[in-house]
Amino acid sequence: MNKGGSDPSLADKSAGEKLMVEVACALPGRQKIVKLAVSPGTTARQAVRLSNIAAAFPEVDVDSAPLGIFGQVLGSKGLPSAEQYEVQPMDRVEIYRPLKIDPKEVRKQRAARVRQSRSI
């Protein structure tokens, strides 16, 4: 028996297995989804790099952009960071672009315009 107590034939089997995942990026006016096969243990950030999606979106810094899995931002709400999260079969890794303006600020500005239009 080997050190880890695992069956060596299982280790050989899993070494050749690949997981199918998608990497998605969207900007105003264009989007792209890349399907790829990755090895077990591949992190979300590694999957993005392996997808080569940066070639289609050179304006997006894939090394620092926030990432998520099906709308859940990695590194928040108790989820591991993009560098720690190991992708699972059929995951869709999403690349998020930075916000140009804080949504709270947009609501404040809209409310101020409504108040101003009512006072006229």
Side-chain angles (χ1 to χ4, degrees), residues 10-91:
L10 292 177
D12 292 341
K13 201 178 202 182
S14 67
E17 290 179 12
K18 295 286 187 173
L19 309 174
M20 293 304 299
V21 299
E22 295 179 340
V23 175
C25 187
L27 296 179
R30 65 189 169 115
Q31 67 178 7
K32 184 173 181 100
I33 297 175
V34 176
K35 295 180 182 187
L36 70 149
V38 298
S39 300
T42 300
T43 67
R45 184 76 63 196
Q46 290 169 331
V48 168
R49 290 181 188 127
L50 290 169
S51 75
N52 200 28
I53 204 163
F57 297 94
E59 64 273 38
V60 176
D61 181 4
V62 298
D63 290 323
S64 65
L67 303 181
I69 304 294
F70 293 112
Q72 299 295 314
V73 180
L74 294 173
S76 69
K77 298 181 185 174
L79 294 172
S81 71
E83 290 74 18
Q84 296 171 325
Y85 178 84
E86 293 182 6
V87 294
Q88 302 300 306
M90 306 309 291
D91 271 354

Side-chain angles (χ1 to χ4, degrees), residues 105-118:
E105 186 60 32
V106 171
R107 287 190 292 273
K108 285 180 190 176
Q109 291 174 1
R110 188 179 310 126
R113 282 194 305 270
V114 168
R115 280 194 303 273
Q116 185 178 11
S117 68
R118 288 182 182 165

